[in-house]
Amino acid sequence: MAGRIFLLSVIALCYLGYRDWQGRAVEHPPGVLVREQPKQVDVQPSVFMLDDYRVTRRASFEVRARVLSKEPYHLGRPAKL
């Protein structure tokens, strides 16, 4: 019984450590990090299906960027898409 409690404690601590590491603040130096402006060009709208979703393409774009944060979706319709 003590072995199971120890194992569950280790698993819980690993999970909490991982979750805390994922949510850490990311430090970036001040100033302009990317010099180029994003390029976006309107295109003739075209439609395609992605699973049960109807997606309309309206523009093409090029961007050089740094991802500063992300938001995982676990519930609802956005999580499926």
Side-chain angles (χ1 to χ4, degrees), residues 7-79:
L7 181 61
L8 289 174
S9 299
V10 169
I11 291 171
L13 286 173
C14 288
Y15 170 74
L16 291 174
Y18 175 75
R19 192 179 74 178
D20 186 51
W21 181 77
Q22 286 290 328
R24 73 191 184 287
V26 178
E27 299 286 330
H28 297 288
V32 177
L33 300 178
V34 178
R35 298 192 190 289
E36 301 91 23
Q37 292 290 322
K39 297 173 188 158
Q40 181 171 324
V41 178
D42 293 335
V43 297
Q44 187 70 16
S46 60
V47 177
F48 64 94
M49 295 299 293
L50 181 64
D51 295 329
D52 292 335
Y53 297 91
R54 183 174 171 234
V55 179
T56 303
R57 186 174 316 160
R58 300 191 181 275
S60 66
F61 67 94
E62 280 183 46
V63 63
R64 184 172 174 201
R66 177 184 284 181
V67 176
L68 299 178
S69 67
K70 64 180 182 175
E71 178 68 33
Y73 293 97
H74 300 289
L75 301 173
R77 191 168 179 178

